[in-house]
Amino acid sequence: MNSGFKFKPIGDILKERGLISAQDLREGLEQQKTSGLPLGRIFVNLGFITQEQLLKVLGVQAEMETVELNDFVIAQEVIEKVPGSIARLYNVMPLSFQANTLIIATDNPLNFSIFDDLRFMFNCNIKGKVASPESIAEAIKKHYKQDAESVDELFFEISQNIPELIEGAENVENIGETASRLPIIKLINMIFTQAINRNASDIHFEPFQDNFKIRYRLDGVLYDVISPPKALHLAISSRIKVMANLNIAETRLPQDGRTLVRIAGRMVDLRVSTLPTLFGESVVIRILDRAAVQLSLNEIGFEPDTREKIRELIKRPYGIILSTGPTGCGKTTTQYSALSEINSIEKKIITVEDPVEFDLPGLIQVSVRPKINMTFPVALRHILRQDPDIIMVGEIRDTETVQMAIHASLTGHLVFSTLHTNDAPSVITRLIDMGVEPFLIASAIEAILAQRLLRCICTKCKHEYTPTEESLRDAGISEKESEGKKFYKGRGCEHCNYSGYKGRSGIFELLILDEDIRTLVLDKVPIAQLREQAIKNGMRTLREDGLLKVFSGRIALDELVAITSAYV
């Protein structure tokens, strides 16, 4: 397949066949600018065409036959030609092999890297047919057993049985070729699969003077997983850079990229960041597995009364709702959960983020690009000309952004955004420090939601115990308050990686700006007085919200104390 061949745009083919209108095409192209999804997939998501119609048009576009895999009888020697890990990684199904030509079924016929990689790996010609992603996943499940090969076994194969890989990885001139060798690709695929199956949020590839470590972040905590041979560091990091369309030759400057991989039949978004260090490039991959994220206000840990207050707030026609907390505390997930609940055909919702983390159908999503001066303030200025009802600003970083957000609020828009402070009342002081007048804060902001993420007790090894007096004292629980209460923690088991924790839940502090709070804001009172009034008006602190989860058996007391000790 010649990647230089110019295919007729899929939008033109659909339009010529009368499947979409000119307006449909314009809408799809507009969404593609911000979502980055294939245009055909956008048309399916919008309901303009069906999956079957998309497959037929993809076949026409790529000059490939569209096939139904249920009709194929595939020889075992063809199955054995392509390892199951490779079939799952590329979401392809081998169909036949004759005259040094492998015929595969793919749902992405214009992804030339698939054909190039397979041609290089198997040293043969590759030709394609088009099939639905669901039928390919089903065929893979039918013809391949789950790989019994472990990561450690693959390391052994690489280091013992294929020593030329080690030699090639040490030679910078050969690194591109080594990074594309089948064992390296299988290794990367297996690392991704293992991390996703364990619900890891990040994968860290870390070079040191004498060794090379791979760690997963599980439920907010980093765990050592494996240590590949140090000589493979360059090949592994180069392979990841190839997947993320980064410059493989640039090792002196940081780079950022992204790639989509199909794991266990579902698409997973990987955000890749490289950083030059003393002993080589550190690579960190953020895993955005949309299938594992529940974008629902019912699933993120709100107590029933807080959840109902949030639902009332997000139905207001204008105002600003701020989320606050440190990086990685779930602010974006909370805001997307709120947007998901109020997303409807009657409302136009536009988000501006750095980067866009979730692709939510029905939303217009914009990614900031500082290199071309597409900043938060610039994007906001133009968003206001797009007649939105609701706006989400990924993060307020400067005075200009907050002023634009306030302007949007005061002109009749509901605005969601995030800020970095320790608790909800501190947001008021932070905004004043940024130069925002107190009367604007009191007029524009409706509510502030502070949050943290705490690890949940593993349900498989959960057991009751009696906490020490010191633990109760550290948590601010009196002897009287602890009477009749049950406390739980996890023993540690295979299910939770012997940590005693599995999954995470949010704890929240919701400050609603009622008349009392607005008056104090106008008077520029200290934070302590704001907090005191907010608690008097019914605000539950982070610690108090966490204690409700401790008493219900979801959170361990020690975990709550560790996370909230600085915010009491």
Side-chain angles (χ1 to χ4, degrees):
M1 177 173 290
N2 182 5
S3 59
F5 186 81
K6 298 296 183 183
F7 291 99
K8 192 169 187 177
I10 190 170
D12 291 348
I13 299 175
L14 290 168
K15 188 178 168 187
E16 288 174 2
R17 294 185 168 219
L19 295 173
I20 63 171
S21 65
Q23 176 59 35
D24 294 339
L25 178 56
R26 283 194 293 270
E27 186 175 345
L29 289 171
E30 192 64 32
Q31 282 211 17
Q32 189 182 43
K33 290 178 184 177
T34 55
S35 70
L37 291 173
L39 190 56
R41 174 54 52 192
I42 291 173
F43 288 138
V44 172
N45 290 344
L46 291 172
F48 296 161
I49 60 174
T50 65
Q51 175 72 28
E52 291 72 25
Q53 289 171 326
L54 173 61
L55 289 175
K56 289 180 180 178
V57 171
L58 284 173
V60 171
Q61 187 186 30
E63 298 181 353
M64 292 183 189
E65 180 187 356
T66 302
V67 296
E68 176 51 60
L69 294 187
N70 289 335
D71 301 333
F72 269 83
V73 177
I74 306 172
Q76 184 59 34
E77 58 265 25
V78 176
I79 301 294
E80 294 171 356
K81 180 74 177 174
V82 179
S85 58
I86 298 302
R88 292 185 183 92
L89 175 62
Y90 291 98
N91 200 46
V92 299
M93 187 65 207
L95 302 178
S96 64
F97 183 75
Q98 290 182 341
N100 201 40
T101 299
L102 178 66
I103 308 294
I104 62 168
T106 175
D107 66 327
N108 197 357
L110 299 185
N111 187 341
F112 303 115
S113 64
I114 293 177
F115 295 88
D116 291 341
D117 285 355
L118 296 181
R119 185 183 299 112
F120 187 90
M121 278 188 271
F122 302 122
N123 193 28
C124 65
N125 299 320
I126 305 294
K127 291 187 177 180
K129 297 181 184 290
V130 182
S132 70
E134 294 78 15
S135 65
I136 293 173
E138 187 61 34
I140 292 173
K141 184 178 179 181
K142 174 182 176 182
H143 292 284
Y144 290 101
K145 295 180 180 179
Q146 287 294 324
D147 294 331
E149 192 174 34
S150 71
V151 174
D152 290 332
E153 289 169 346
L154 192 50
F155 283 157
F156 182 80
E157 174 191 343
I158 289 172
S159 59
Q160 299 295 321
N161 300 335
I162 317 180
E164 65 269 20
L165 273 180
I166 302 292
E167 297 172 7
E170 293 174 329
N171 188 339
V172 176
E173 294 179 359
N174 298 334
I175 194 61
E177 179 181 347
T178 304
S180 298
R181 295 290 295 272
L182 180 59
I184 295 295
I185 293 173
K186 286 173 65 179
L187 173 61
I188 296 295
N189 179 40
M190 200 168 293
I191 290 170
F192 289 168
T193 302
Q194 186 181 77
I196 291 164
N197 287 341
R198 292 189 184 184
N199 294 320
S201 61
D202 304 86
I203 310 172
H204 293 241
F205 299 83
E206 302 169 324
F208 297 96
Q209 183 172 8
D210 300 318
N211 59 0
F212 173 38
K213 290 185 178 181
I214 297 177
R215 298 196 288 173
Y216 298 160
R217 187 176 293 279
L218 305 172
D219 298 327
V221 178
L222 280 170
Y223 293 91
D224 278 335
V225 183
I226 35 184
S227 294
K230 178 70 164 62
L232 287 182
H233 163 248
L234 192 55
I236 290 173
S237 60
S238 296
R239 177 61 198 169
I240 295 170
K241 288 163 74 173
V242 168
M243 294 177 67
N245 293 316
L246 301 180
N247 184 352
I248 190 174
E250 180 56 78
T251 58
R252 300 166 301 170
L253 295 173
Q255 297 187 70
D256 293 299
R258 62 181 292 188
T259 183
L260 285 170
V261 298
R262 189 181 297 274
I263 302 290
R266 65 181 189 263
M267 295 304 296
V268 178
D269 192 355
L270 304 179
R271 303 291 170 87
V272 179
S273 171
T274 71
L275 181 70
T277 71
L278 189 60
F279 301 109
E281 284 184 290
S282 169
V283 179
V284 176
I285 298 177
R286 167 65 58 88
I287 300 172
L288 297 176
D289 184 3
R290 297 181 179 94
V293 178
Q294 300 293 325
L295 295 179
S296 168
L297 294 178
N298 295 324
E299 303 293 336
I300 56 181
F302 283 126
E303 295 298 319
D305 58 338
T306 303
R307 183 168 56 244
E308 292 312 308
K309 290 176 183 176
I310 293 289
R311 284 187 166 132
E312 290 175 11
L313 287 164
I314 63 178
K315 290 177 182 177
R316 296 185 181 181
Y318 54 83
I320 299 177
I321 299 174
L322 289 173
S323 293
T324 186
T327 300
C329 71
K331 298 187 297 293
T332 302
T333 300
T334 299
Q335 297 218 331
Y336 264 104
S337 297
L339 291 178
S340 179
E341 182 138 330
I342 56 179
N343 184 18
S344 68
I345 195 67
E346 296 85 11
K347 292 184 175 68
K348 179 154 187 172
I349 304 175
I350 306 181
T351 75
V352 52
E353 304 165 73
D354 183 20
V356 174
E357 293 200 18
F358 298 105
D359 169 34
L360 200 59
L363 271 61
I364 303 296
Q365 297 172 276
V366 179
S367 181
V368 300
R369 297 177 182 177
K371 289 182 180 179
I372 58 172
N373 199 35
M374 181 63 165
T375 60
F376 278 114
V378 170
L380 261 176
R381 192 173 297 113
H382 289 277
I383 282 172
L384 289 173
R385 299 171 189 164
Q386 292 278 312
D387 188 31
D389 298 295
I390 300 166
I391 300 169
M392 188 185 94
V393 183
E395 183 182 344
I396 289 178
R397 297 176 177 173
D398 50 49
T399 302
E400 190 177 1
T401 303
V402 70
Q403 287 176 343
M404 289 294 297
I406 290 173
H407 172 70
S409 164
L410 295 177
T411 53
H413 303 87
L414 182 61
V415 180
F416 293 85
S417 192
T418 68
L419 202 63
H420 290 282
T421 63
N422 287 334
D423 56 19
S426 298
V427 168
I428 306 298
T429 304
R430 175 80 177 104
L431 292 175
I432 292 174
D433 290 343
M434 293 175 74
V436 182
E437 293 292 341
F439 77 90
L440 289 176
I441 297 173
S443 301
I445 296 179
E446 296 295 320
I448 302 165
L449 182 70
Q451 66 182 83
R452 298 291 183 277
L453 282 177
L454 273 66
R455 293 178 294 173
C456 296
I457 301 170
C458 174
T459 56
K460 302 291 185 181
C461 59
K462 175 180 175 180
H463 72 286
E464 187 178 346
Y465 81 109
T466 302
T468 63
E469 290 184 8
E470 183 181 0
S471 295
L472 293 173
R473 186 170 57 251
D474 289 342
I477 303 174
S478 67
E479 185 177 339
K480 184 177 180 180
E481 288 174 321
S482 66
E483 288 180 2
K485 300 290 194 306
K486 293 183 178 180
F487 296 87
Y488 299 88
K489 63 181 179 180
R491 287 192 176 90
C493 64
E494 185 175 341
H495 179 68
C496 62
N497 201 33
Y498 300 96
S499 67
Y501 300 98
K502 187 70 173 179
R504 290 193 289 177
S505 175
I507 58 172
F508 304 91
E509 180 176 277
L510 178 62
L511 170 60
I512 297 175
L513 272 73
D514 54 23
E515 290 305 315
D516 293 333
I517 299 296
R518 293 184 199 277
T519 300
L520 294 179
V521 170
L522 291 171
D523 292 340
K524 298 183 180 180
V525 302
I527 293 178
Q529 192 173 339
L530 270 174
R531 169 174 283 274
E532 183 181 342
Q533 184 64 51
I535 293 173
K536 182 179 177 181
N537 289 0
M539 183 185 80
R540 187 184 298 127
T541 66
L542 288 168
R543 172 64 64 84
E544 290 168 344
D545 194 61
L547 283 174
L548 293 178
K549 294 172 175 63
V550 169
F551 296 147
S552 65
R554 287 175 284 171
I555 300 295
L557 185 62
D558 292 344
E559 174 75 359
L560 175 65
V561 172
I563 298 298
T564 64
S565 58
Y567 312 117
V568 179

